[in-house]
């Protein structure tokens, strides 16, 4: 992405931007009036029917849903750490609350809510909010799906004019009888809600901005009042203030009470934190303080329980609506609670006009929406479908807490199974002599051991080793991140027996000496890989002698030993893998690009481009220069051969940070020497840098020093030279060759694109991450 700079003024402006919920100075009220007030009205219209429906599904008093919605909006919005998260009663807790109400009664359930709120505050103060995110997302998704199916099965009975049972199995078995005795009026009203919500999202945007739940409930209520239908309606006993009641502690059953507190606290915390993280991805303002958000949610639950309300969580449906409606600060969430309060005081009589069947239709749609096909597909792709299914069934047929615990245990078991797995493979390799491959002659075998090698892998390991015939030469490639002494002993004992049979065994411990460590100390994980061994310098992989631990040449001097050891490593590990590719290249080359790089030893073209043999036609010189006026015969020969004979598609010029040639050019060094005569070809780059070339300015803004700025300008000017060159310029003009500039920042390992006017980072985090030094 393009390089941008951040000034102190811009940083201050962003810090005070409305999305962060910070000090907005003079623009605070203007922003609230312009953005937050309209957004809060939209959220209020969404929250109103949802709060009523959730109260009905929970078996709680109707006004308890409104109390929770008011407290969630005002208290959680003001105290919480997620500025755009809208809180209130959540569908995810309906099953739990319904069970608690059936077991303890409503007033004791509110006491459980108070206890859960206090526990959440303690969670937030202890700063363990992120620990709640350690729960597998698949388990959370499955938990919500199980709740959604449970709600839908309950409310189908209500939509058909009957009453739901307390268990999923009873609701399933009783459904045929309920369908036979369905009440047409209730089915019509509930069907209107379902159809409206299904069709509303298909309307033009100007219509779909109005919340579908509100439209569906209003339309169904109007139809129920106009037509002569006998449907059961919501009954409210008293006003909002009459519904406020202090909680009551249980008379016995304290273990169930404590379990309820823990269940509400944990589920509400996890759902709120996951919602806060999801909302953070929807906007570019200040992100959530998760510990503070837990404190805010705990405060809201404490107040809601004390006033006789339902448990409160951060709700993703309201929050997504809040962001989509243009909210910029926490004022929107707070105001939506204020509007709910005003409605509950002055217009609550309207609620009594709403049929139960209408809320049942709404709840069925909410429940179905909790079962997301995207989550099921994700579980299938990642191999976690069994975790998903087990959790869903546990939530449905046991209870929510037991279902989640079982799901977590299955997820942990699956994770352990994957972690302790190792891949062991033994295969014959055709013998290779000076005259080439001897077809049908097998004198060498390769045994590859990858992954985590513990005693659990012994059956697979011993089976593979037993397949190797006696008397053959064996390369044992050990690419493990964990090796215990049991596997180490098996390998060593097998190697001794095999060598006694006349064969040889070369153990190639790629990355670390894992076998030596396995018998000298408790086993530990070694983060290594074959690829890393292939890319690392000699000094990181060679331990004074050959990789096998033997001095294989006998006559190597210290100067050539690293080269010989590296060749031996290549023959053991990489040559067999590359042979099939090199065989295709035996008849000639067909590279994609000419790659002009500096001669600096730290720049490895195939590594930084992820290419292999045959991909790049590489030319290297000091300073990656293309002398003007065709002054260098070697460079001209390379360009001619690449463009006319090899027909390359691109010519790439690659500079690098800390270039000695650019340093000498800046300091006027090496004058009178061959190096000085050569880098004189870069004088135009020095002049362009001194004249304020745009590439130099972009590099300076990105934090590069003067030498690296000159290196990037030099790449830009070599590109210009190539575009004016008689050969490459014509090919470029005809569209046969693209000319590209790159810059390798050695300290950070990043590759940048150099253009005529600036630089672009080619990795997602390049423009924001600090440069390593």
């Amino acid at each position: 992405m393009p390089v941008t700079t951040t000034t102190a003024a811009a940083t201050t402006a962003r810090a005070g931007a409305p999305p962060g919920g910070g000090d907005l100075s003079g623009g605070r009220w203007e922003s609230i009036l312009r953005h937050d007030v309209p957004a809060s009205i939209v959220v209020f219209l969404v929250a109103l029917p949802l709060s009523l429906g959730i109260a009905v599904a929970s078996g709680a008093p109707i006004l308890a849903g409104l109390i929770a919605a008011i407290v969630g909006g005002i208290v959680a919005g003001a105290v919480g750490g997620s500025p755009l998260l809208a809180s209130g009663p959540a569908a995810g807790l309906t099953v739990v609350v319904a069970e608690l109400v059936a077991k303890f009664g409503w007033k004791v359930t509110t006491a459980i809510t108070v206890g859960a709120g206090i526990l959440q505050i303690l969670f937030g103060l202890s700063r363990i909010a992120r620990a709640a995110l350690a729960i597998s997302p698949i388990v959370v998704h499955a938990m919500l799906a199980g709740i959604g199916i449970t709600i839908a099965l309950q409310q189908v009975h209500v939509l058909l004019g009957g009453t739901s049972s307390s268990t999923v199995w009873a609701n399933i078995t009783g459904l045929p009888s309920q369908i036979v005795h369905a009440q047409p009026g209730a089915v019509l009203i509930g069907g209107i809600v379902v159809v409206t919500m299904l069709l509303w999202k298909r309307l033009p945007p100007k219509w779909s901005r109005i919340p579908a739940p509100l439209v569906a409930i209003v339309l169904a209520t109007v139809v129920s009042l106009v037509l002569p239908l006998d449907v059961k309606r919501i009954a409210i006993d008293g006003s909002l203030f009459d519904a406020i009641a202090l909680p009551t502690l249980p008379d016995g059953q304290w273990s169930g009470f404590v379990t309820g507190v823990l269940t509400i606290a944990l589920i509400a915390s996890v759902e709120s934190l996951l919602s806060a993280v999801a909302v953070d991805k929807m906007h570019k303002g200040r992100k959530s303080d998760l510990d503070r958000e837990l404190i805010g949610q705990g405060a809201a639950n404490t107040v809601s329980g004390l006033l006789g309300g339902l448990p409160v969580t951060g709700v993703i449906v309201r929050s997504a609506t809040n962001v989509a409606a243009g909210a910029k600060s926490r004022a929107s969430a707070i105001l939506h609670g204020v509007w709910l309060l005003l409605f509950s005081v002055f217009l609550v009589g309207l609620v009594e006009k709403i049929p139960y069947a209408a809320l049942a239709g709404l709840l069925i749609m909410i429940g179905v929406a909790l079962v997301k096909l995207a989550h099921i597909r994700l579980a299938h792709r990642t191999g976690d479908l069994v975790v998903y299914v087990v959790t869903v069934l546990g939530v449905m047929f046991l209870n929510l807490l037991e279902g989640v615990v079982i799901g977590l245990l299955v997820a942990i078991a699956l994770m352990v199974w994957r972690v302790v797995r190792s891949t062991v493979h033994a295969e014959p390799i055709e013998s290779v002599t000076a005259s080439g491959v001897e077809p049908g002659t097998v004198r060498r075998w390769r045994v590859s051991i990858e992954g985590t090698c513990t005693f659990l892998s012994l059956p697979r390991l011993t089976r593979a080793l037993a397949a190797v015939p006696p008397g053959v030469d064996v390369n044992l490639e050990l690419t493990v991140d964990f090796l215990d002494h049991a596997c180490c002993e098996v390998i060593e004992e097998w190697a001794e027996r095999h060598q006694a049979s006349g064969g040889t065994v070369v153990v190639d411990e790629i990355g670390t000496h894992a076998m030596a460590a396995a018998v000298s100390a408790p086993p530990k994980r070694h983060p290594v890989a074959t690829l890393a061994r292939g890319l690392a310098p000699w000094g990181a992989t060679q331990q004074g002698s050959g990789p096998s631990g033997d001095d294989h040449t006998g006559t190597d001097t210290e100067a050539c030993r690293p080269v010989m050891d590296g060749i031996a490593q290549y023959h053991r590990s990489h040559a067999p893998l590359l042979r099939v590719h090199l065989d295709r290249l035996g008849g000639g080359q067909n590279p994609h690009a000419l790659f002009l790089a500096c001669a600096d030893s730290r720049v490895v073209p195939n590594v930084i481009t992820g290419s292999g043999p045959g991909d790049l036609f590489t030319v290297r010189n000091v300073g990656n220069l293309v002398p003007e006026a065709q002054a260098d015969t070697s460079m001209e020969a390379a360009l001619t051969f690449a463009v006319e004979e090899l027909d390359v598609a691109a010519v790439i010029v690659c500079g690098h940070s800390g270039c000695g040639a650019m340093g000498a050019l800046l300091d006027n060094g090496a004058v009178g020497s061959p190096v000085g005569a050569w880098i004189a070809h870069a004088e135009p780059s020095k002049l362009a840098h001194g004249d304020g070339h745009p590439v130099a300015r972009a590099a300076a803004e990105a934090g590069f020093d003067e030498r690296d700025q000159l290196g990037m300008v030099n790449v830009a000017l070599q590109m210009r030279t190539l575009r004016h060159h008689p050969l490459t310029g014509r090919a470029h003009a005809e569209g046969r060759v693209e000319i590209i500039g790159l810059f390798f920042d050695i300290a950070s390992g990043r590759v940048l694109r150099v253009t005529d006017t600036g630089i672009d980072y080619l990795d997602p985090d390049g423009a924001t991450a600090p440069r390593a030094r």
Side-chain angles (χ1 to χ4, degrees):
M1 59 178 140
V3 174
T4 57
T5 59
T6 303
T7 64
T11 303
T12 302
R14 280 201 301 271
D23 183 9
L24 306 181
S25 301
R28 177 177 184 179
W29 294 109
E30 179 183 354
S31 176
I32 290 175
L33 291 173
R34 182 179 178 183
H35 300 288
D36 294 319
V37 170
S40 69
I41 295 174
V42 175
V43 179
F44 153 70
L45 294 175
V46 171
L48 178 61
L50 295 181
S51 301
L52 297 172
I54 291 168
V56 170
S58 301
I62 294 295
L63 291 178
L66 292 177
I67 292 173
I70 295 166
V71 172
I74 297 175
V75 177
V79 181
S82 183
L84 300 187
L85 184 70
S87 300
L93 284 170
T94 53
V95 175
V96 178
V97 174
E99 291 178 355
L100 293 175
V101 172
K103 183 175 183 179
F104 293 103
W106 174 240
K107 288 193 174 182
V108 175
T109 301
T110 60
I112 292 174
T113 302
V114 173
I118 295 172
L119 191 56
Q120 284 183 290
I121 294 174
L122 295 176
F123 287 163
L125 293 175
S126 59
R127 307 189 68 81
I128 62 169
R130 291 198 175 272
L133 301 181
I135 296 177
S136 170
I138 294 296
V139 173
V140 176
H141 296 159
M143 176 192 76
L144 294 175
I147 292 170
I149 296 172
T150 302
I151 292 172
L153 288 172
Q154 288 176 343
Q155 297 305 312
V156 163
H157 287 267
V158 179
L159 184 144
L160 295 173
T163 57
S164 62
S165 301
S166 58
T167 66
V168 171
W169 183 249
N171 284 320
I172 293 175
T173 56
L175 189 56
S177 174
Q178 187 67 68
I179 293 174
V180 172
H181 298 91
Q183 297 180 10
V187 173
L188 174 64
I189 297 303
I192 289 174
V193 173
V194 172
V195 172
T196 301
M197 292 191 67
L198 288 174
L199 297 179
W200 197 253
K201 63 181 70 175
R202 301 179 181 273
L203 296 178
K206 65 179 181 179
W207 290 99
S208 59
R209 291 173 186 169
I210 305 173
L214 180 70
V215 175
I217 293 297
V218 170
L219 180 60
T221 302
V222 170
V223 170
S224 72
L225 294 173
V226 172
L227 298 181
L229 300 176
D230 182 19
V231 292
K232 187 178 179 181
R233 303 181 189 275
I234 292 174
I236 298 177
D237 185 13
S239 67
L240 178 69
F241 299 106
D242 295 329
I244 295 175
L246 291 175
T248 301
L249 292 176
D251 183 14
Q253 295 184 304
W254 284 100
S255 61
F257 180 87
V258 172
T259 301
V261 169
L262 288 171
T263 303
I264 295 291
L266 291 174
I267 296 175
S269 298
V270 171
E271 185 170 348
S272 297
L273 293 175
L274 291 175
S275 298
V277 172
V279 171
D280 282 346
K281 297 177 182 179
M282 299 178 186
H283 66 89
K284 296 181 179 180
R286 185 177 300 170
K287 304 306 179 184
S288 300
D289 180 339
L290 297 182
D291 291 305
R292 179 179 168 183
E293 182 58 35
L294 267 189
I295 295 173
Q297 294 294 329
N301 272 314
T302 303
V303 174
S304 181
L306 289 173
L307 296 179
L310 285 168
V312 171
T313 72
V315 185
I316 191 61
V317 175
R318 302 181 196 192
S319 304
T321 303
N322 195 32
V323 175
K328 298 298 181 184
S329 76
R330 66 180 68 250
S332 176
I334 297 172
L335 285 173
H336 110 272
V338 173
W339 307 141
L340 286 166
L341 174 61
L342 294 176
F343 175 89
S344 302
V345 172
F346 298 107
L347 299 173
V348 72
L350 295 176
V351 173
E352 295 184 299
K353 305 295 183 182
I354 301 175
Y356 273 105
L359 290 181
L362 174 62
L363 287 166
I364 290 171
M365 296 304 296
I366 293 174
V368 171
L370 290 177
V371 185
K372 298 185 182 298
L373 289 178
H375 293 161
I376 299 175
R377 295 192 188 101
L378 175 64
H380 182 265
R381 287 197 309 270
T382 58
D384 294 322
L385 190 59
V386 63
V387 177
Y388 188 94
V389 172
V390 168
T391 306
V392 169
L393 294 177
V395 170
M396 290 174 57
F397 293 102
L398 297 175
N399 59 55
L400 193 142
L401 184 59
E402 291 180 6
V404 170
V405 170
I406 293 173
L408 285 175
L409 292 176
V410 174
I412 292 171
L414 183 61
M415 178 270 295
V416 171
W417 180 75
R418 288 169 174 169
V419 168
V420 302
R421 288 187 67 195
S422 61
T423 301
V424 185
H425 183 63
E427 61 180 352
I429 306 173
E430 290 184 328
S431 180
V432 180
T433 66
S435 60
V437 177
E438 299 177 2
T441 303
V442 177
R443 282 288 305 164
R444 181 174 294 278
W445 277 61
R446 180 194 300 118
V447 178
S448 301
I449 305 174
E450 300 178 350
T452 301
C453 201
T454 68
F455 64 92
L456 297 174
S457 305
L458 289 179
R460 186 181 296 109
L461 177 61
T462 54
R463 184 167 55 250
L465 295 177
V468 179
V472 301
D473 299 329
V474 178
N475 285 352
L476 195 152
E477 298 176 356
L478 196 62
T479 310
V480 297
D481 58 3
F482 188 91
L483 178 72
D484 69 4
H485 72 280
C487 290
C488 181
E489 288 181 357
V490 168
I491 294 171
E492 289 181 339
E493 291 173 0
W494 170 83
E496 290 178 1
R497 292 195 304 271
H498 188 78
Q499 289 170 344
S501 71
T504 63
V505 178
V506 176
V507 179
D508 187 15
E509 297 176 315
I510 300 174
T512 63
H513 292 279
M515 289 186 66
V519 295
S520 61
K524 62 181 180 179
R525 192 168 297 278
H526 298 282
V528 298
T530 304
L531 180 62
R533 177 62 180 264
L535 303 181
W538 286 330
T541 59
Q542 297 180 2
Q543 304 290 333
S545 62
S548 65
D550 300 321
D551 186 355
H552 55 84
T553 62
T555 59
D556 294 346
T557 65
E558 289 301 321
C560 71
R561 182 183 298 276
V563 178
M564 295 299 106
D565 285 351
I567 292 172
Q569 165 64 25
Y570 160 75
H571 279 136
R572 284 194 306 274
S573 299
H574 303 301
L577 301 176
L578 291 174
R579 191 166 289 133
V580 63
H581 305 290
L582 294 174
D583 183 61
R584 292 199 304 265
L585 297 171
Q589 61 172 320
N590 183 30
H592 177 79
L594 183 150
F595 195 95
L596 172 59
C598 181
D600 193 294
S601 63
R602 298 167 295 178
V603 180
V604 187
N606 291 111
V607 171
I608 65 175
T609 60
S611 55
D615 292 332
L616 299 178
F617 183 73
T618 305
V619 178
R620 306 189 70 155
N621 60 45
V622 175
N624 43 275
L625 301 177
V626 183
E628 295 182 343
Q630 301 172 268
D632 182 61
T633 304
S634 175
M635 189 72 239
E636 295 304 308
L639 289 174
T640 301
F641 188 70
V643 175
E644 295 188 347
E645 298 295 329
L646 301 178
D647 195 26
V648 296
V651 176
I652 302 168
V653 183
C654 182
H656 67 93
S657 61
C659 182
M662 298 299 104
L665 188 63
L666 279 175
D667 300 336
N668 297 314
V671 176
S673 69
V675 174
W678 173 255
I679 63 175
H681 292 300
E683 282 293 335
S685 300
K686 182 178 179 180
L687 293 174
H689 175 263
D691 291 338
H693 194 282
V695 171
R697 293 197 299 270
E701 291 171 355
F704 290 92
D705 61 22
E706 190 175 14
R707 177 163 56 170
D708 292 352
Q709 296 170 30
L710 175 58
M712 295 185 194
V713 173
N714 180 58
V715 171
L717 263 68
Q718 304 315 308
M719 293 166 57
R720 186 185 69 180
T721 299
L722 288 168
R723 282 195 289 268
H724 290 87
H725 191 281
L727 177 62
T728 54
R730 183 175 64 255
H732 178 66
E734 293 172 356
R736 293 187 290 116
V737 171
E738 186 175 357
I739 297 173
I740 302 168
L742 301 176
F743 187 85
F744 179 43
D745 182 19
I746 295 173
S748 67
R750 293 189 174 99
V751 179
L752 293 78
R753 178 80 176 264
V754 179
T755 66
D756 293 328
T757 58
I759 58 176
D760 294 336
Y761 281 91
L762 299 180
D763 66 306
D765 301 321
T768 57
R771 295 188 63 238
R773 286 299 181 195

